[in-house]
Amino acid sequence: MHLNVFTQCSPAPQFKGMWRVPGDRTATGYRSLEYWTARARQLEAACVDALFFADIHGVYDVYRGSWAPAVRHAVQIPSIDPALLLPALAATTRHLGFAVTYSTTYHPPFECARLFSSLDHLTGGRVGWNIVTSYLRSATANGLGDYLDHDERYDRADEYVRVTRALWEESWDADAVVRDAGRDTFTDPTRVHEIDHHGRWFSVRGPHQCEPSPQRTPVLYQAGSSPRGIEFAARHAEVVFLTLADPTTGAEPVADLRATAARHGRDPRAVKALQGTMVMVGRDRAEAKARAEAYNTLWSSEGQLAKWCGWMDIDLSAFPDDTPVDEIRSQASHSFLGFLRRLTPDRTWTVGDVKYLVSRPRRPRVDAPVTLFGTPEQVADRMEQWLEVADVDGFNLIPCPPSGGVDDICDLLIPELQRRGLFRTAYDPLESTLRERYFGPGNRTYSDPARAGAIREG
Ligand SMILES: Cc1cc2nc3c(=O)[nH]c(=O)nc-3n(C[C@H](O)[C@H](O)[C@H](O)COP(=O)(O)O)c2cc1C
């Protein structure tokens, strides 16, 4: 099974209020190199596949039409840029991979290509790009371009990925760099090519500014599971970050993702599905329950509301509680409403229901949606169920609380998975890049027979 640990360079990456857990180190550590290098070494000792960094642009200002609740409760603000950490984390580890979120909506593709080639060189081929189209309207207030509608953002992202892949894969021949002092030639210019891209969104001539890195194209991750998001993932992604409710209802979306990949001529198993899920583990039932209850007293309802309203671009405070949420048009993330629909397909979710669901603390239950909770044995049982019933390839574990939760994953959960033979006890020395960890030794570069030679044509 594949295991990533999810984080963000901010005080309380996912569960609002958790920065207040006594002794948790993320609240101040998120901006310290010492904290992140220790974290990376800890995850490598536990043989984790990769550390996954979420990242956003803009501020959550939808709830009550103000960013004050988000700022007060540290809703992904303050935050620093995760890409800058990678060289330091790579220098302190040898095997751990790193996935960095980078938005196709707010950066030019030429810069993206150069950044990820640089990171791939500096990490020795251990980098992945989590491709997101983003959702916060507020980012556009900072000179980052115009707000595009949901599907248009994906149209732009399709072209964006074609441009970056052309820069990574077509611009420099493998033997372009000759370093021939006798001929006074560092690079043979006949083996470097312009990509000459002219599309609806971008005009990029090239050539790419970096020589080929170990993986050329970083491992392509994707997050966003509306029908348009799945279409995008099935076309481009190698690893997909899903947030499914439970193994039984999760089986259909995973099968749908694989079937859509097959329709695009891809091997359905070449798309790895990772279930993103909160993890809270205790040594025994009493400890797990006591932890959950203690954390619940620190839960920030207002912070949760600020986050969800930003995700949905719907100000839940502005509608009567009996308004069906389906009737409110939104251009932000459709994944979260889709998640609610799958949770209870026959129910009409109202504004009041969503407010209640997102703002109340989570009940400690072994079978709660999007949650892995309990003793290491209970959590491992549930993970096995996910693998068998939903056919996921692994997990993007979201630790709760942010630092203590990582300790529990490494010290309690992973040893139990290893005892069951479900998770590696050492990295395979033949896998030198992140892509090889997913697709086996020798698979260093993006390989997609159905699309070979068709990067620019799309
Ligand atoms: C599980 C998940 C994680 C996401 N992580 C990020 C992120 O870190 N940064 C970001 O800007 N957008 C993130 N997104 C937003 C998506 O990239 C996408 O723009 C948004 O969800 C709208 O697409 P959808 O309707 O297909 O979900 C995430 C979405 C999902 C579902």
Side-chain angles (χ1 to χ4, degrees):
M1 101 169 53
H2 294 286
L3 285 185
N4 286 353
V5 168
F6 170 102
T7 193
Q8 188 176 359
C9 299
S10 68
Q14 204 43 264
F15 308 108
K16 299 308 139 196
M18 292 304 108
W19 64 270
R20 294 194 293 156
V21 171
D24 204 79
R25 304 174 305 278
T26 313
T28 51
Y30 83 90
R31 51 185 164 69
S32 123
L33 218 43
E34 220 175 14
Y35 169 83
W36 287 112
T37 48
R39 198 94 298 193
R41 282 195 297 269
Q42 178 185 25
L43 294 176
E44 179 156 280
C47 299
V48 163
D49 290 51
L51 178 57
F52 177 103
F53 289 97
D55 192 28
I56 60 155
H57 286 82
V59 64
Y60 286 73
D61 60 358
V62 177
Y63 179 59
R64 296 189 190 282
S66 161
W67 45 255
V71 167
R72 177 167 182 208
H73 299 289
V75 181
Q76 303 187 0
I77 184 171
S79 71
I80 64 167
D81 186 335
L84 298 173
L85 291 173
L86 262 55
L89 304 191
T92 198
T93 54
R94 285 185 49 221
H95 304 281
L96 184 69
F98 308 99
V100 174
T101 297
Y102 197 80
S103 174
T104 54
T105 303
Y106 299 128
H107 308 276
F110 186 80
E111 275 192 21
C112 171
R114 187 173 188 225
L115 173 70
F116 278 92
S117 291
S118 307
L119 292 175
D120 203 47
H121 277 300
L122 296 172
T123 61
R126 289 190 273 150
V127 73
W129 169 26
N130 179 36
I131 309 172
V132 296
T133 55
S134 302
Y135 45 87
L136 286 176
R137 204 176 279 273
S138 61
T140 62
N142 301 322
L144 298 178
D146 298 326
Y147 190 80
L148 303 174
D149 284 352
H150 180 272
D151 286 5
E152 255 194 328
R153 294 202 298 275
Y154 275 115
D155 294 345
R156 187 178 194 272
D158 273 326
E159 189 182 327
Y160 194 107
V161 172
R162 287 203 300 278
V163 171
T164 52
R165 285 192 50 210
L167 289 166
W168 288 320
E169 291 170 28
E170 296 185 350
S171 186
W172 288 61
D173 294 348
D175 53 3
V177 175
V178 290
R179 289 189 197 87
D180 186 338
R183 282 200 295 140
D184 192 15
T185 302
F186 189 88
T187 302
D188 178 349
T190 65
R191 296 179 195 166
V192 176
H193 316 283
E194 298 180 352
I195 64 163
D196 208 17
H197 174 92
H198 299 283
R200 174 175 170 208
W201 301 98
F202 309 108
S203 284
V204 179
R205 190 198 67 184
H208 186 33
Q209 199 145 352
C210 304
E211 66 177 277
S213 64
Q215 302 183 111
R216 282 189 178 252
T217 296
V219 175
L220 299 183
Y221 287 63
Q222 183 269 1
S225 41
S226 63
R228 184 66 182 87
I230 290 297
E231 184 65 28
F232 176 85
R235 207 174 287 169
H236 307 287
E238 301 173 280
V239 184
V240 178
F241 173 20
L242 298 157
T243 40
L244 305 165
D246 59 66
T248 311
T249 59
E252 191 187 324
V254 174
D256 180 43
L257 168 68
R258 298 201 197 283
T260 316
R263 272 203 301 284
H264 284 288
R266 298 182 65 196
D267 171 2
R269 304 307 310 187
V271 183
K272 304 291 177 193
L274 300 189
Q275 160 68 358
T277 177
M278 176 184 96
V279 191
M280 196 189 287
V281 197
R283 249 169 289 267
D284 51 36
R285 284 173 199 230
E287 186 179 74
K289 189 159 177 281
R291 283 183 178 179
E293 281 165 3
Y295 302 150
N296 279 352
T297 64
L298 304 172
W299 192 256
S300 162
S301 297
E302 193 179 50
Q304 285 291 118
L305 280 166
K307 183 178 73 172
W308 271 75
C309 290
W311 278 346
M312 299 187 298
D313 198 29
I314 295 173
D315 179 4
L316 293 170
S317 75
F319 295 91
D321 274 359
D322 58 359
T323 314
V325 277
D326 268 347
E327 289 177 9
I328 309 172
R329 282 197 59 75
S330 157
Q331 294 298 337
S333 177
H334 296 175
S335 292
F336 299 99
L337 288 179
F339 166 77
L340 297 179
R341 272 183 225 118
R342 277 198 301 275
L343 203 55
T344 50
D346 301 329
R347 177 171 177 177
T348 303
W349 283 86
T350 64
V351 163
D353 295 333
V354 180
K355 276 203 276 203
Y356 177 75
L357 177 87
V358 307
S359 60
R360 86 194 145 98
R362 295 191 182 191
R363 282 196 215 105
R365 247 180 44 212
V366 170
D367 59 351
V370 234
T371 299
L372 291 170
F373 167 78
T375 63
E377 295 77 19
Q378 286 174 316
V379 170
D381 286 347
R382 185 76 168 158
M383 291 170 88
E384 286 202 52
Q385 210 187 350
W386 271 104
L387 297 176
E388 283 160 21
V389 178
D391 188 31
V392 296
D393 300 283
F395 300 86
N396 204 5
L397 300 173
I398 311 178
C400 185
S403 305
V406 178
D407 299 341
D408 297 337
I409 288 169
C410 295
D411 300 342
L412 304 178
L413 177 58
I414 288 182
E416 175 60 26
L417 296 172
Q418 289 170 330
R419 253 191 302 280
R420 294 180 184 206
L422 287 172
F423 194 58
R424 69 177 75 81
T425 51
Y427 291 104
D428 182 340
L430 298 176
E431 297 168 356
S432 63
T433 62
L434 180 57
R435 182 167 284 107
E436 288 169 292
R437 183 149 313 136
Y438 286 107
F439 301 104
N443 293 304
R444 293 178 124 212
T445 51
Y446 191 99
S447 133
D448 188 348
R451 297 188 51 71
I455 297 168
R456 277 180 275 159
E457 290 74 25

